[in-house]
Amino acid sequence: MTRLFSDLLYPSSENNPNPLKLSWPAIVFFTIFHSLALLAPWFFSWSALGVTLILHWFLGSIGICLGYHRLLSHRSFQVPKWLEYAIALVGAAAVQGGPIFWVAGHRLHHAHTEDVEKDPYSARKGFWWSHMLWLFYPKEEFFNPTLYRKYAPEMARDPFYLWLDKYYLLLQIPLGVALYLLGGWSYIIWGMCVRSVLLWHSTWFINSVTHMWGYRTFETNDNSRNLWWAAIVTYGEGWHNNHHAYPHVAKAGWRWWEVDVTWWAIQLLRSLGLATKVIMPPALKN
């Protein structure tokens, strides 16, 4: 229980020689989305719920898990450039930051896993820090484009990714207009606000709970875990110990019970000849 709450004091702790400043724009931004999501019961419809689930999968599994994570961060497979750009647009619409920001932060996480200074969302700072407080107390080296772009240099040389990293929030305008035309405010509340909140916390669970609870198939130099329910809400990303042991492998779930929905999409792309050079896991020793 101590690990769950100790990090609430971390940013202002006397043991921290460089206390971080609270980002009020981040606080306001996330508070608005969470507050609007609380209106969901008054705007409920079954079709709005369906749209939310579809967008959660499409933006989460395809955009974030397949696109931002396995394709762009780890290059665990390749697709044609036009398709890579299209998938990156889907990821950017998930409101989890621009692609260079997301990729750079994730590469730092793997390079310095659980280091309290170099890992942007180190689990050693406790549950709440790794889950969301790292966004509210931003460190400049992780949030300043001039600094974080060096951790994704191939993307920082690409004009498309530079543009998308800066203007990704603009994608919410056509998405919001489309949702409003399809279903009015019900679709806005559910398809944008509820979906964003659910997808944020689903993704953040990988930073927090899968470094605390679950089983370990591999003895990695960190506390990464395989957690079944986290894998369900993140379309396979919850098999986190597998991933930390072999981060460049395209498949996160290795055993028959480790369901990996995002892997199914990669398999489909491969069967269509669109995904190539797919990095597969080595054989497991049972």
Side-chain angles (χ1 to χ4, degrees), residues 6-14 16 19-20 116-117 125 129:
S6 63
D7 59 321
L8 288 173
L9 299 177
Y10 183 90
S12 59
S13 170
E14 295 180 357
N16 181 10
L20 300 174
V116 295
E117 296 298 331
K125 292 185 179 181
W129 176 268

Side-chain angles (χ1 to χ4, degrees), residues 39-50 52 185-187 189-190:
L39 299 175
W42 290 273
F43 290 87
F44 176 80
S45 71
W46 288 109
S47 61
L49 176 60
T52 300
W185 288 108
S186 176
Y187 276 32
I189 295 297
W190 280 86

Side-chain angles (χ1 to χ4, degrees), residues 4-144:
L4 285 175
F5 296 100
S6 63
D7 59 321
L8 288 173
L9 299 177
Y10 183 90
S12 59
S13 170
E14 295 180 357
N15 294 326
N16 181 10
N18 298 304
L20 300 174
K21 295 181 180 180
L22 186 66
S23 171
W24 284 107
I27 291 289
V28 172
F29 178 80
F30 287 109
T31 298
I32 289 174
F33 269 80
H34 281 74
S35 298
L36 290 174
L38 293 176
L39 299 175
W42 290 273
F43 290 87
F44 176 80
S45 71
W46 288 109
S47 61
L49 176 60
V51 166
T52 300
L53 295 176
I54 291 171
L55 286 176
H56 188 282
W57 163 77
F58 186 58
L59 301 183
S61 181
I62 304 303
I64 298 298
C65 303
L66 185 151
Y68 271 20
H69 187 206
R70 304 189 200 188
L71 175 61
L72 297 179
S73 295
H74 295 292
R75 300 293 177 180
S76 60
F77 62 98
Q78 295 182 11
V79 296
K81 186 59 72 172
W82 66 266
L83 182 56
E84 179 182 310
Y85 286 165
I87 295 172
L89 282 168
V90 176
V95 202
Q96 294 193 12
I100 304 178
F101 163 79
W102 203 103
V103 168
H106 190 70
R107 289 178 179 176
L108 278 168
H109 169 67
H110 276 274
H112 308 286
T113 305
E114 298 175 358
D115 184 283
V116 295
E117 296 298 331
K118 297 179 181 180
D119 181 348
Y121 26 86
S122 173
R124 289 188 183 276
K125 292 185 179 181
F127 173 87
W128 287 109
W129 176 268
S130 58
H131 192 72
M132 60 192 300
L133 286 183
W134 68 279
L135 293 165
F136 298 155
Y137 292 91
K139 296 184 68 173
E140 185 178 11
E141 57 264 44
F142 304 145
F143 286 82
N144 185 327

Side-chain angles (χ1 to χ4, degrees), residues 161-181:
Y161 284 126
L162 287 171
W163 177 87
L164 190 58
D165 200 60
K166 186 176 182 179
Y167 296 111
Y168 70 94
L169 280 177
L170 293 179
L171 296 177
Q172 298 308 299
I173 297 175
L175 178 58
V177 170
L179 288 172
Y180 183 79
L181 292 176

